[in-house]
Amino acid sequence: MQSDLQTSLHLNEIAFSHVPVLSQQVIGGLVVSPRGNYLDLTVGGGGHSRLILETAEDVKVTAVDQDEDALKAAKANLAEFGDRVNFIHSNFANYDFPPNTYHGILADLGVSSYHLDNPERGFSFRNTANLDMRMNQQQFLTAGDIINNWDEGELADIFFKYGEERLSRRIARRIVEKRPFHTTTELANVIAYSVPPKYRYGRLHPATRVFQALRIVVNDELKVLETLIDKAPHSLVPGGRIAIISFHSLEDRLVKHGLRNLSLLQVLTKKPILGTESEITENLRSRSAKLRIAEKKNPDE
């Protein structure tokens, strides 16, 4: 009982401290309207959903997340809105998008502040944790499985393709020599000492791109993003808008071309919307955030 209470308090603390990125840009871009029906496909701690619910009268939100812990945190954060929020445990690629239903759809991609602030989930090497990285902990594949069992060529390929890591082969060779690995910090340290000193002490920690690649592969992030872009727009009412926030070039490229190639959408952002200097100062996560917005065309036009 005490353990459950501590977990609940911890989740509440994370939820209430959740700071959504590009918040005003998202609300303005979605043009949240009274009695509107909105879909938050990555509710996380509930930050964006709270802003949507507070913006206009009698707004309803369907809040989706594949992480059960995140849903618990969001439920605590959004409890005051009662039945105006419908919570669904699902990967957004598996969500059953009802046609012509939503006035706005939001997807805040990538790893959330919630995950990074929970060291036991293994998304960050700032703290020692198991090599996990599963957003949905019901799935089987972990980052540890990949690092300890995939062959050198496979590792080099994913580091290069999904992390855009130019020293991918050198890093993969070192990992295979030193494995097995059990923790995030073990892996990060070996990566750091597998590269030249100039690269090791640069602005970006040399393990950053490898961790990005592992997270993408573990959660099949680019494939589910393609599925989202293909399915979600059909769930908008005419004039409804979809807003997608990405955090690295692979995602942004998919979003840019995916929205542009759908004939039922009118892209409203020729270039991605970025965080302001003041927002980046207050919330470092917004530094790499890119927002793109599109509107569903009226079929009669």
Side-chain angles (χ1 to χ4, degrees):
M1 180 66 72
Q2 182 67 23
S3 176
D4 290 343
L5 177 61
Q6 289 174 339
T7 299
S8 177
L9 290 172
H10 182 50
L11 289 171
N12 286 345
E13 179 184 346
I14 294 168
F16 285 116
S17 65
H18 177 70
V19 180
V21 299
L22 305 179
S23 57
Q24 296 309 310
Q25 297 92 324
V26 166
I27 298 302
L30 288 176
V31 193
V32 178
S33 57
R35 292 172 293 282
N37 191 10
Y38 295 85
L39 175 62
D40 186 346
L41 288 167
T42 49
V43 67
H48 282 114
S49 281
R50 167 173 284 277
L51 291 172
I52 292 171
L53 290 159
E54 290 176 340
T55 297
E57 184 180 0
D58 294 332
V59 168
K60 291 188 176 182
V61 170
T62 299
V64 180
D65 207 290
Q66 64 180 328
D67 188 308
E68 289 183 297
D69 286 347
L71 276 181
K72 290 177 184 177
K75 286 178 180 179
N77 189 11
L78 304 175
E80 67 193 82
F81 299 101
D83 61 6
R84 290 173 59 192
V85 190
N86 178 31
F87 295 95
I88 296 177
H89 177 228
S90 174
N91 183 302
F92 55 62
N94 299 326
Y95 179 66
D96 185 17
F97 291 92
N100 300 306
T101 299
Y102 299 108
H103 297 87
I105 297 174
L106 170 65
D108 180 358
L109 304 175
V111 62
S112 68
S113 301
Y114 172 82
H115 290 110
L116 290 174
D117 292 340
N118 282 269
E120 65 270 18
R121 298 296 296 272
F123 286 94
S124 171
F125 47 82
R126 294 181 304 198
N127 299 284
T128 299
N130 291 330
L131 284 163
D132 191 328
M133 299 194 192
R134 292 172 298 168
M135 291 185 183
N136 181 355
Q137 292 189 294
Q138 294 180 0
Q139 75 174 51
F140 294 106
L141 182 68
T142 68
D145 294 331
I146 295 171
I147 284 296
N148 291 319
N149 298 314
W150 289 23
D151 67 36
E152 182 180 323
E154 289 176 310
L155 292 177
D157 287 346
I158 66 169
F159 298 161
F160 183 78
K161 182 177 181 179
Y162 299 119
E164 299 178 297
E165 174 53 70
R166 62 185 182 86
L167 297 179
S168 58
R169 298 197 179 283
R170 182 171 182 162
I171 292 171
R173 188 180 314 119
R174 186 70 167 180
I175 286 172
V176 171
E177 289 173 355
K178 295 294 184 178
R179 65 188 185 189
F181 295 91
H182 303 289
T183 68
T184 54
T185 47
E186 283 179 341
L187 177 60
N189 288 336
V190 164
I191 293 171
Y193 284 95
S194 69
V195 301
K198 181 179 179 180
Y199 194 63
R200 188 183 312 156
Y201 301 111
R203 182 182 62 83
L204 197 68
H205 191 287
T208 301
R209 295 187 179 92
V210 170
F211 271 63
Q212 172 183 298
L214 288 170
R215 193 197 75 232
I216 288 173
V217 173
V218 167
N219 298 290
D220 202 13
E221 291 180 20
L222 298 185
K223 181 62 177 178
V224 298
L225 176 56
E226 289 177 353
T227 302
L228 161 70
I229 295 171
D230 182 58
K231 294 166 66 173
H234 298 279
S235 203
L236 290 168
V237 300
R241 294 185 175 186
I242 182 168
I244 303 178
I245 304 172
S246 62
F247 289 88
H248 56 75
S249 59
L250 297 175
E251 288 177 339
D252 182 57
R253 202 174 299 131
L254 267 178
V255 175
K256 175 183 177 180
H257 294 292
L259 296 179
R260 179 189 295 169
N261 293 337
L262 284 173
S263 60
L264 78 167
L265 294 179
Q266 174 66 46
V267 175
L268 303 179
T269 48
K270 290 184 178 180
K271 293 184 178 181
I273 298 172
L274 308 177
T276 62
E277 288 186 17
S278 59
E279 180 181 5
I280 293 171
T281 300
E282 294 176 8
N283 182 8
L284 283 178
R285 185 170 176 261
S286 65
R287 179 176 54 192
S288 55
K290 296 179 178 180
L291 170 65
R292 293 186 184 272
I293 303 169
E295 181 175 294
K296 186 175 182 181
K297 299 175 183 176
N298 192 319
D300 298 328
E301 293 180 353

